[in-house]
Amino acid sequence: MPALETYDTVVVGGGPAGATAATDLARRGRAVLLLDKAGRIKPCGGAIPPRAIRDFDIPDHMLCAKITGARMVAPSARQVDMPIDGGFVGMVDRGPFDEWLRERAAKAGAVRRTGTFERIERGADGLSILHYRDKESGTPRSVRARTVIGADGAVSQVGRQAVPGADKVPMVFAYHEIVRSPEAGVGDFDPARCDVYYQGPLSPDFYAWIFPHGDTTSIGTGSMKKGFALREAVAQLRRATGLDACETLRHEGAPIPLHPLKRWDNGRDVLLAGDAAGVVAPASGEGIYYALAGGRLAAEAVDEALATGDARALALARKRFMKAHGRVFFILGMMQRFWYRSDWTRERFVGMCRDPDVQRLTWQAYMNKELVRAKPAAHVRIFFKDVATLCGLARP
């Protein structure tokens, strides 16, 4: 039999996490194979904060819209506007954005292949043999890998085969429809504003959304409740907002993890990143920035493991991620469990969003991806306002 190609790293999955890991490793001089299914677009609001644009060199031409505010809609239909003071959130279309990331990896030196991952076996020399099916020819192929990064989504086949507990992450099931955007001023549509709906009929335990992407708009919802009619909820939202007349271009659905896995590696040569590692923020469902960051940390950990021959370095990816973002994930998780549990609590949550302190600290934390610690007086004011709202001493 002919000798198999050997790579320092095979990255399975070409989304933001996998493509970033492949780019960074290739730039470090590693032999990298980036294996991606292609043709799959994840249902996603498409928001990326300024920190992601800065840290990962996202060019302006990849932004199809710049959002300058959000509108929160309560169960009672009350609306609270949250303008961004002097900044914006970038919006991307995941189809061209993910392809641009994969092309950047190729330009950095990664080898691109289109195919479907099937399994990992162990060779006689101890290295992993990764089997996949080529998309164009349909033929099975194999390569040897010193390390493998599984960035193949929430239901990661790499994770399920190689990392204990990878199938134990809670999921939100998300569905959205991409429509052709109406003209500004049609109905209540604003191309520079994201609308978030906290209403039981649209989502009993998460939220529904309208996120403009320039020429197109994402209209979607999510829920952890099995059997909830996601499509009907989106249809209801479109009817209520007058967007049912817009042309539907495509629709997508997928599970989205909302809790980082307790373990991201197998202790030997496999490491997970992105959705496969569960790094989607609770409460908000934001994943692009955390996928980019997780992919970079995965590349650093794999490079260190290859350089030292010490597989324990793989665990550094999770350790460093949780040090940087674990507290934010913990707080957002508590917020989702408490504030999203009923329309009564969500009514009060939206009411609190009217507060200027809440708006200021929320946007600062979101835009910079870190908790704001420099304003203790504002945190104290928010605490007492929260208590007053929950006890019925203040109007929600």
Side-chain angles (χ1 to χ4, degrees):
M1 294 181 63
L4 297 178
E5 296 176 290
T6 301
Y7 292 91
D8 291 322
T9 304
V10 175
V11 181
V12 181
T20 299
T23 299
D24 286 5
L25 282 166
R27 287 175 175 172
R28 291 169 180 256
R30 299 298 181 183
V32 180
L33 171 63
L34 177 58
L35 177 67
D36 186 66
K37 284 183 177 181
R40 174 81 172 97
I41 303 175
K42 179 187 174 183
C44 176
I48 55 173
R51 182 171 175 182
I53 297 171
R54 294 193 306 267
D55 289 359
F56 298 95
D57 300 319
I58 308 300
D60 195 69
H61 71 82
M62 290 307 305
L63 305 181
C64 52
K66 294 181 179 179
I67 298 300
T68 57
R71 173 170 289 177
M72 321 293 274
V73 184
S76 65
R78 178 178 50 172
Q79 300 175 349
V80 173
D81 287 317
M82 297 180 63
I84 301 173
D85 185 17
F88 69 88
V89 173
M91 304 298 288
V92 296
D93 186 325
R94 287 294 299 272
F97 179 67
D98 287 12
E99 177 59 21
W100 177 82
L101 290 172
R102 291 188 287 268
E103 275 299 303
R104 181 162 70 173
K107 290 176 181 177
V111 175
R112 284 188 64 179
R113 298 272 174 79
T114 304
T116 302
F117 167 82
E118 292 188 336
R119 67 189 186 280
I120 297 175
E121 293 179 345
R122 192 69 58 188
D125 57 1
L127 294 187
S128 287
I129 300 177
L130 188 143
H131 301 276
Y132 70 97
R133 188 166 296 276
D134 182 79
K135 183 176 181 179
E136 291 187 5
S137 65
T139 58
R141 295 188 176 178
S142 305
V143 295
R144 297 165 77 242
R146 294 184 175 90
T147 55
V148 176
I149 295 177
D152 51 335
V155 189
S156 168
Q157 294 306 308
V158 173
R160 288 170 180 246
Q161 290 187 29
V163 178
D167 58 342
K168 300 293 193 296
V169 62
M171 305 276 186
V172 160
F173 296 90
Y175 170 78
H176 78 159
E177 296 176 357
I178 298 294
V179 305
R180 198 173 302 283
S181 297
E183 296 292 331
V186 173
D188 198 31
F189 180 78
D190 184 341
R193 186 190 70 220
C194 286
D195 293 346
V196 184
Y197 291 79
Y198 295 99
Q199 298 177 331
L202 300 179
S203 173
D205 53 359
F206 200 57
Y207 65 81
W209 68 83
I210 298 175
F211 289 174
H213 293 165
D215 293 338
T216 63
T217 293
S218 166
I219 308 172
T221 188
S223 176
M224 294 183 69
K225 184 177 180 181
K226 291 185 178 180
F228 179 72
L230 298 171
R231 289 174 181 258
E232 176 52 37
V234 170
Q236 180 179 339
L237 178 57
R238 292 183 64 175
R239 289 193 297 268
T241 56
L243 298 179
D244 53 338
C246 297
E247 178 187 2
T248 302
L249 303 176
R250 67 176 194 264
H251 54 85
E252 296 136 1
I256 298 176
L258 288 183
H259 194 282
L261 292 176
K262 294 182 178 180
R263 183 171 181 176
W264 295 3
D265 69 282
N266 69 345
R268 182 168 182 169
D269 57 1
V270 177
L271 176 63
L272 303 180
D275 280 15
V279 292
V280 177
S284 68
E286 181 195 1
I288 296 178
Y289 168 77
Y290 295 111
L292 294 166
R296 175 151 293 169
L297 291 173
E300 292 174 0
V302 164
D303 186 65
E304 189 167 338
L306 290 169
T308 63
D310 188 350
R312 289 176 297 181
L314 296 176
L316 292 174
R318 187 184 190 280
K319 182 178 180 180
R320 291 167 178 168
F321 183 94
M322 296 306 291
K323 181 178 180 180
H325 307 293
R327 185 174 298 180
V328 171
F329 273 52
F330 175 75
I331 291 173
L332 290 175
M334 289 186 62
M335 187 182 91
Q336 179 177 337
R337 288 190 294 272
F338 182 80
W339 291 112
Y340 290 11
R341 60 183 176 174
S342 70
D343 276 357
W344 186 88
T345 55
R346 288 193 284 190
E347 186 73 36
R348 279 145 184 79
F349 170 69
V350 173
M352 288 193 307
C353 292
R354 295 178 305 169
D355 187 273
D357 288 327
V358 172
Q359 295 191 12
R360 190 178 309 110
L361 294 180
T362 296
W363 283 124
Q364 288 177 5
Y366 174 82
M367 307 279 267
N368 298 299
K369 287 292 161 276
E370 58 187 17
L371 295 176
V372 181
R373 299 182 178 88
K375 299 181 182 297
H379 286 287
V380 170
R381 288 196 300 271
I382 290 171
F383 172 77
F384 284 110
K385 290 172 184 175
D386 288 357
V387 172
T389 299
L390 288 174
C391 293
L393 302 176
R395 186 167 61 90

